[in-house]
Amino acid sequence: MTITYQLPELREPAPAPERTAILIPSGDLRESANVPAWPFQQELERIVGEAVEAAGWSVQRGFAPDPALGHGFIRSQRMGIEVFKDIPPEAPLIVATANWQYSHHVLAGLRTHRGPILTVANFAPEWPGLVGLLNLNGGLTKMGRDYSSLWTVDGTDAWFREGIATWLETGTIEHDASHVRPLPSLPTTPEVELGRALAEQLQRDKAIIGIFDEGCMGMYNAIIDDEMLNPLGIYKERLSQSALWAEMQTVPDEEADAIGSWLREAGMTFRLGTDEATELTEDQLRWQHKMYIAALRISDDFGLDAVGIQYQQGMKDVCPASDLVEGLLNNVQRPPVTSRDGSRVLWEGKALPNFNEVDEGVAVDALVTNRIWTAMGMDPATTLHDVRWGEEFDGQYVWVYEISGSVPPSHLPNGYADAEGWRQGPEFFPAGGSTINGVSKPGEIVWSRVYVQEGVLHVDLGRGSVVELPEEETRRRKEATNPEWPIAHVVLHGVSRDQFMGRHKANHAQLVYADDADAADRALTAKAALFERLGVRVHLCGEARIVGA
């Protein structure tokens, strides 16, 4: 007897067209964000096309824009997989990014694409294109997929055009990484002793990070496998945002309103209105206060050492933003919340490290930073920032670091008195909610990023300063980006714009203040010693200094 099965029809892959690069853009999951970003994407694609044609090649779009939707972004993982079916696997591929994008929309196709890959972003403030670029680069790095990367303000600079030509002919671009060096042999100093002791305590006693749903906004680079975390002494408590929402329902209005009263008495102000669709309202604030209480109580239930809330998928459709909550959790001075029986104030006089957007690289960093800074007697308030944009000002390059919603109030010059709550933008946050908005105070900082490369954990450590700019320049920078979000004017020590862009493996950078420059150097030394003892590969960037070495 002959048995016949229905075999799938396997298509022969299309051959790569000669001297032609294929271009695709990854988009947001939210159509409300894709549509307004589309004109900026069209301009970037024009810039890329001109540079490719000037090098004697042509550009072919991987799929046609959708007139009915009003944009031409890949808007889901399934769509990305379908698009890649028609892309010749050997063709040079350009992923152009002028917007926030969900990397997982294209990672499946990029993982198996055999041709050279170039990621490109416009270096512009209006939409977070370079943020999306750095997120995608971090994902490709974690994946172990070779890629090259470029960025440009307007496409006219020789560096960009020559980079395009080089990539088209060779399939690769090398960036200057002379600012990066390995950790030297560490001296015997109190800082090194502290870092190593804290590392050994973490591995011996262990810590738990609470994950309210993993994989925010397609950030594959922000997920760290248990097999990498557990040897550090860090374990995940996998929680559901539905449990957070359910806990919020149990918080009485009176208890939530007491949080609001505390914030106002501390000096925080809010830009309030009555239109739920476009303005910040008291009802939105009440729900944020309930989320703050609920997050602390669930964290107490599970004995968490740090906590992260995904929010952007799912929760955005049912309740106001998590950002106000996250900024408060990271601050030592914050509204008190008691256990359910009223017998204890939870984390009294302490910050509960929060990792915004459940970025687990931030989780590891925030956890150890909190312990080092606390042991050294410094304010442990830490936050991640989007590496949003930057320009030269008065002879130095000043980055715009902006977090989507909230910094801990101690990062502002006068704490809560300088904190103003604005409504989150409707295109990203349909249910609204308050930010903790303000301009970060001048001071010395340590910046860092924990990331996955070649199957192991790495950390880049550097030094910088938050500087004060004239009020009109600050206003210009905020209005060019997202004025509702808090801003830090950051100068990186010994790291140029292009060195940072070519090296950084994430859309986020971790930032924490030190009391002064000497304290920052000593804290960085302790942090390097801690990570080294945990087995994380440490890289010093720019003018990062190991005290005593």
Side-chain angles (χ1 to χ4, degrees), residues 27-38:
D28 204 298
L29 194 68
R30 299 159 291 196
E31 294 298 286
S32 59
N34 282 329
V35 173
W38 180 232

Side-chain angles (χ1 to χ4, degrees), residues 333-485:
Q333 181 196 14
R334 52 183 176 76
V337 173
T338 63
S339 55
R340 290 185 186 84
D341 62 5
S343 65
R344 295 175 292 119
V345 175
L346 304 179
W347 282 272
E348 186 173 10
K350 298 177 181 178
L352 171 58
N354 171 266
F355 42 108
N356 185 272
E357 297 169 354
V358 286
D359 185 332
E360 293 165 21
V362 172
V364 174
D365 203 332
L367 180 69
V368 302
T369 298
N370 176 276
R371 296 184 179 194
I372 293 168
W373 262 247
T374 298
M376 295 182 73
M378 293 191 291
D379 178 16
T382 183
T383 194
L384 67 84
H385 274 284
D386 280 342
V387 182
R388 179 59 186 268
W389 175 61
E391 279 186 340
E392 281 205 6
F393 184 84
D394 199 21
Q396 62 182 348
Y397 196 85
V398 183
W399 285 94
V400 171
Y401 277 15
E402 282 184 345
I403 180 174
S404 166
S406 293
V407 290
S410 69
H411 282 200
L412 306 177
N414 298 295
Y416 287 97
D418 284 334
E420 187 174 36
W422 291 31
R423 189 202 192 277
Q424 286 281 27
E427 68 274 27
F428 295 125
F429 300 88
S434 175
T435 60
I436 300 178
N437 195 2
V439 182
S440 292
K441 63 187 178 185
E444 296 299 305
I445 60 166
V446 175
W447 65 267
S448 51
R449 176 64 198 181
V450 175
Y451 57 96
V452 179
Q453 185 171 11
E454 297 174 341
V456 296
L457 283 178
H458 295 247
V459 62
D460 285 358
L461 293 175
R463 283 273 286 108
S465 303
V466 178
V467 299
E468 185 174 5
L469 297 184
E471 183 179 349
E472 60 271 20
E473 176 65 10
T474 295
R475 187 182 310 113
R476 183 185 75 87
R477 288 173 175 239
K478 283 181 69 67
E479 291 176 354
T481 52
N482 284 81
E484 69 273 22
W485 294 349

Side-chain angles (χ1 to χ4, degrees), residues 91-115:
L93 183 66
I94 299 172
V95 187
T97 304
N99 62 313
W100 174 250
Q101 57 82 37
Y102 281 40
S103 292
H104 79 294
H105 291 174
V106 293
L107 286 178
L110 293 175
R111 186 182 288 273
T112 56
H113 188 74
R114 297 194 293 268

Side-chain angles (χ1 to χ4, degrees), residues 140-192:
L140 290 168
T141 297
K142 176 185 173 183
M143 186 186 290
R145 182 63 172 85
D146 290 337
Y147 66 95
S148 299
S149 196
L150 284 172
W151 43 91
T152 184
V153 173
D154 58 12
T156 63
D157 54 297
W159 179 84
F160 171 71
R161 288 181 168 261
E162 290 169 4
I164 288 281
T166 297
W167 178 77
L168 289 169
E169 294 300 331
T170 68
T172 188
I173 298 171
E174 296 294 331
H175 291 298
D176 174 20
S178 60
H179 65 294
V180 182
R181 63 193 188 280
L183 189 67
S185 296
L186 293 176
T188 303
T189 64
E191 292 77 26
V192 171

Side-chain angles (χ1 to χ4, degrees), residues 37-47 61 65 70 72-73 98:
W38 180 232
F40 298 94
Q41 179 67 30
Q42 289 177 299
E43 175 62 12
L44 174 60
E45 293 186 20
R46 182 195 67 79
I47 288 171
R61 216 172 189 277
F73 291 113

